[in-house]
Amino acid sequence: MLYDLTITQYSKMLGNLSHILEKAAAYAETKKFNLEVLLNSRLAPDQFNLIRQVQIACDTAKFGAARVCGKEAPSHPDTETTLAELQARIKTVQDYLATYSRDDFVGADERHVSQPRWEGKYLTGTEFVIQHSLPNIYFHVTTAYSILRNNGVDLGKKDFLGNMPLK
């Protein structure tokens, strides 16, 4: 169950994020303005810009999987400034997630997951995924979507949800 909630959803949401970034690039090209305008846009003065939203979404996915499985996640220095660099980061994290198997999640339900800012407190693996990690990735992908939508990029719910395995 945790494999599907994490690896499947993280990978899908990062793919959807990549897709909406492509639509942003096409919009900037059509409207003849520099894509950096969108990459540096934010919804509110005290909120992270689009670049940082993408970086955090990627971090949420890689750290979410690593922490719940008791592994080390790769390091990314948060130096991206271009669409190509953001797309490469998304791809790198998707490739990292593809290295996981269901076997990596054996015992993950009850694993104690903590972070330094939690001051010694922890969540079980299931609690961490449901209460922290999934909401966090959805928050940052939604915020990235909203930044672009607010700036006129033609996005809809289907762009956020992506393809579903309809039968």
PDB file of all heavy atoms in Angstrom, residues 5 13 29 33 104 111 129-130 165:
ATOM      1  N   LEU A   5       1.073   4.556  -2.594  1.00  0.00           N
ATOM      2  CA  LEU A   5       0.831   5.916  -2.103  1.00  0.00           C
ATOM      3  C   LEU A   5       2.037   6.824  -2.320  1.00  0.00           C
ATOM      4  O   LEU A   5       1.875   8.032  -2.456  1.00  0.00           O
ATOM      5  CB  LEU A   5       0.489   5.899  -0.612  1.00  0.00           C
ATOM      6  CG  LEU A   5      -0.887   5.373  -0.245  1.00  0.00           C
ATOM      7  CD1 LEU A   5      -1.024   5.272   1.274  1.00  0.00           C
ATOM      8  CD2 LEU A   5      -1.979   6.267  -0.820  1.00  0.00           C
ATOM      9  N   MET A  13       2.797  12.700  -9.951  1.00  0.00           N
ATOM     10  CA  MET A  13       2.677  14.139  -9.723  1.00  0.00           C
ATOM     11  C   MET A  13       3.871  14.893 -10.304  1.00  0.00           C
ATOM     12  O   MET A  13       3.713  15.999 -10.826  1.00  0.00           O
ATOM     13  CB  MET A  13       2.496  14.439  -8.236  1.00  0.00           C
ATOM     14  CG  MET A  13       1.163  13.953  -7.666  1.00  0.00           C
ATOM     15  SD  MET A  13      -0.314  14.381  -8.645  1.00  0.00           S
ATOM     16  CE  MET A  13      -0.307  16.171  -8.523  1.00  0.00           C
ATOM     17  N   GLU A  29       6.365  31.368 -25.010  1.00  0.00           N
ATOM     18  CA  GLU A  29       6.810  31.498 -26.401  1.00  0.00           C
ATOM     19  C   GLU A  29       5.718  32.127 -27.270  1.00  0.00           C
ATOM     20  O   GLU A  29       5.986  33.025 -28.074  1.00  0.00           O
ATOM     21  CB  GLU A  29       7.205  30.124 -26.953  1.00  0.00           C
ATOM     22  CG  GLU A  29       7.795  30.186 -28.341  1.00  0.00           C
ATOM     23  CD  GLU A  29       8.271  28.817 -28.825  1.00  0.00           C
ATOM     24  OE1 GLU A  29       8.838  28.059 -28.017  1.00  0.00           O
ATOM     25  OE2 GLU A  29       8.065  28.535 -30.017  1.00  0.00           O
ATOM     26  N   PHE A  33       7.243  36.427 -24.343  1.00  0.00           N
ATOM     27  CA  PHE A  33       7.922  36.981 -23.178  1.00  0.00           C
ATOM     28  C   PHE A  33       8.876  35.936 -22.614  1.00  0.00           C
ATOM     29  O   PHE A  33       8.767  34.741 -22.909  1.00  0.00           O
ATOM     30  CB  PHE A  33       6.942  37.501 -22.116  1.00  0.00           C
ATOM     31  CG  PHE A  33       6.118  36.458 -21.426  1.00  0.00           C
ATOM     32  CD1 PHE A  33       6.602  35.774 -20.308  1.00  0.00           C
ATOM     33  CD2 PHE A  33       4.837  36.164 -21.872  1.00  0.00           C
ATOM     34  CE1 PHE A  33       5.833  34.819 -19.661  1.00  0.00           C
ATOM     35  CE2 PHE A  33       4.059  35.205 -21.232  1.00  0.00           C
ATOM     36  CZ  PHE A  33       4.564  34.531 -20.125  1.00  0.00           C
ATOM     37  N   ASP A 104      11.234  -2.784  -0.866  1.00  0.00           N
ATOM     38  CA  ASP A 104      11.836  -1.708  -0.071  1.00  0.00           C
ATOM     39  C   ASP A 104      10.895  -1.215   1.023  1.00  0.00           C
ATOM     40  O   ASP A 104      11.338  -0.587   1.983  1.00  0.00           O
ATOM     41  CB  ASP A 104      12.218  -0.524  -0.967  1.00  0.00           C
ATOM     42  CG  ASP A 104      13.360  -0.852  -1.907  1.00  0.00           C
ATOM     43  OD1 ASP A 104      14.346  -1.453  -1.449  1.00  0.00           O
ATOM     44  OD2 ASP A 104      13.253  -0.505  -3.102  1.00  0.00           O
ATOM     45  N   ARG A 111       7.808   1.991  10.627  1.00  0.00           N
ATOM     46  CA  ARG A 111       9.116   2.644  10.799  1.00  0.00           C
ATOM     47  C   ARG A 111       8.920   4.027  11.412  1.00  0.00           C
ATOM     48  O   ARG A 111       7.987   4.734  11.061  1.00  0.00           O
ATOM     49  CB  ARG A 111       9.832   2.751   9.448  1.00  0.00           C
ATOM     50  CG  ARG A 111      11.209   3.415   9.565  1.00  0.00           C
ATOM     51  CD  ARG A 111      12.020   3.311   8.293  1.00  0.00           C
ATOM     52  NE  ARG A 111      12.564   1.962   8.201  1.00  0.00           N
ATOM     53  CZ  ARG A 111      12.220   1.069   7.278  1.00  0.00           C
ATOM     54  NH1 ARG A 111      11.376   1.380   6.326  1.00  0.00           N
ATOM     55  NH2 ARG A 111      12.746  -0.133   7.280  1.00  0.00           N
ATOM     56  N   VAL A 129       3.508   9.328   5.607  1.00  0.00           N
ATOM     57  CA  VAL A 129       3.038   9.424   4.223  1.00  0.00           C
ATOM     58  C   VAL A 129       1.690  10.135   4.155  1.00  0.00           C
ATOM     59  O   VAL A 129       1.513  11.081   3.382  1.00  0.00           O
ATOM     60  CB  VAL A 129       2.963   8.032   3.564  1.00  0.00           C
ATOM     61  CG1 VAL A 129       2.221   8.072   2.230  1.00  0.00           C
ATOM     62  CG2 VAL A 129       4.361   7.466   3.375  1.00  0.00           C
ATOM     63  N   ILE A 130       0.740   9.703   4.971  1.00  0.00           N
ATOM     64  CA  ILE A 130      -0.627  10.233   4.888  1.00  0.00           C
ATOM     65  C   ILE A 130      -0.734  11.637   5.465  1.00  0.00           C
ATOM     66  O   ILE A 130      -1.432  12.493   4.905  1.00  0.00           O
ATOM     67  CB  ILE A 130      -1.617   9.273   5.582  1.00  0.00           C
ATOM     68  CG1 ILE A 130      -1.686   7.965   4.784  1.00  0.00           C
ATOM     69  CG2 ILE A 130      -2.994   9.900   5.723  1.00  0.00           C
ATOM     70  CD1 ILE A 130      -2.461   6.851   5.467  1.00  0.00           C
ATOM     71  N   PRO A 165      -5.592   5.462 -14.761  1.00  0.00           N
ATOM     72  CA  PRO A 165      -5.662   4.115 -15.336  1.00  0.00           C
ATOM     73  C   PRO A 165      -7.112   3.619 -15.467  1.00  0.00           C
ATOM     74  O   PRO A 165      -7.513   2.632 -14.852  1.00  0.00           O
ATOM     75  CB  PRO A 165      -4.863   3.273 -14.338  1.00  0.00           C
ATOM     76  CG  PRO A 165      -5.068   3.973 -13.027  1.00  0.00           C
ATOM     77  CD  PRO A 165      -5.133   5.447 -13.379  1.00  0.00           C
TER      78      PRO A 165
END
